[in-house]
């Protein structure tokens, strides 16, 4: 992080992002994938509300650590078709916007990104897929 933001500055920035997400929710019907766009905007807004709530009770540096933890837990879905996984992509986008807001060092974000689980894994254990043979064969 560059210069430490105050809680008020942080809350003001998150409020601005919430407003943008709300505007996106309203214009979702005009987009090529209305439901995916709406879900993406809703999930971004939820992240901003969550971070705002957390910021109301914790110091700005603690909020950033919390956001990094949330980011590390997100499944990696980059490269999937646009309308797929809009909730995950929305959360990812919101957290990355937050990192820009607070001036998080790009190296720190990249390190957190590299620890994210692959899609279809839970705590490092691969989930069953259609390619996995059924039990009893």
């Amino acid at each position: 992080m560059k210069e430490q933001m105050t809680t008020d500055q942080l809350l003001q920035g998150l409020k601005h992002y919430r407003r943008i997400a709300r505007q996106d929710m309203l214009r979702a019907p005009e987009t090529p994938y209305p439901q995916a766009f709406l879900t993406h905007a809703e999930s971004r807004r939820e992240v901003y509300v969550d971070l705002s709530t957390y910021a109301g009770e914790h110091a700005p540096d603690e909020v950033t650590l919390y956001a990094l933890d949330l980011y590390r837990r997100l499944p990696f879905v980059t490269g999937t078709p646009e309308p797929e996984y809009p909730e995950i992509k929305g959360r990812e986008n919101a957290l990355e916007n937050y990192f820009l807001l607070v001036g998080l060092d790009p190296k720190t974000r990249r390190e957190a990104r590299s620890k994210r689980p692959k899609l279809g894994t839970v705590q490092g254990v691969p989930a069953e897929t259609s390619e996995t043979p059924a039990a009893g064969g």
Side-chain angles (χ1 to χ4, degrees):
M1 243 184 322
K2 295 178 180 153
E3 186 176 318
Q4 183 71 31
M5 295 180 81
T6 67
T7 297
D8 286 342
Q9 290 170 324
L10 187 60
L11 290 171
Q12 191 62 31
L14 289 167
K15 184 177 182 180
H16 175 73
Y17 281 142
R18 276 197 319 271
R19 287 180 181 152
I20 293 170
R22 177 74 176 133
Q23 289 171 354
D24 286 348
M25 289 165 60
L26 294 173
R27 70 182 195 99
E30 305 164 11
T31 64
Y33 304 104
Q35 188 55 50
F37 196 87
L38 177 62
T39 301
H40 188 281
E42 288 171 338
S43 65
R44 287 187 354 248
R45 193 167 190 279
E46 289 171 13
V47 169
Y48 301 139
V49 168
D50 182 28
L51 292 175
S52 294
T53 301
Y54 199 83
E57 302 169 2
H58 298 84
D61 59 334
E62 293 177 61
V63 180
T64 299
L65 292 174
Y66 175 66
L68 282 165
D69 185 53
L70 293 175
Y71 192 67
R72 275 187 218 98
R73 295 174 189 221
L74 283 177
F76 196 74
V77 294
T78 303
T80 59
E82 184 180 347
E84 292 183 12
Y85 310 106
E87 183 176 342
I88 296 169
K89 289 177 181 177
R91 294 182 68 74
E92 175 184 50
N93 184 235
L95 291 165
E96 289 176 351
N97 286 340
Y98 172 80
F99 299 147
L100 289 172
L101 173 69
V102 298
L104 184 72
D105 175 44
K107 181 181 178 196
T108 303
R109 186 193 61 81
R110 281 193 306 270
E111 287 171 357
R113 185 177 178 86
S114 73
K115 293 178 177 152
R116 288 174 53 188
K118 291 181 181 171
L119 187 63
T121 62
V122 177
Q123 298 178 351
V125 179
E128 289 189 26
T129 66
S130 59
E131 299 172 5
T132 305

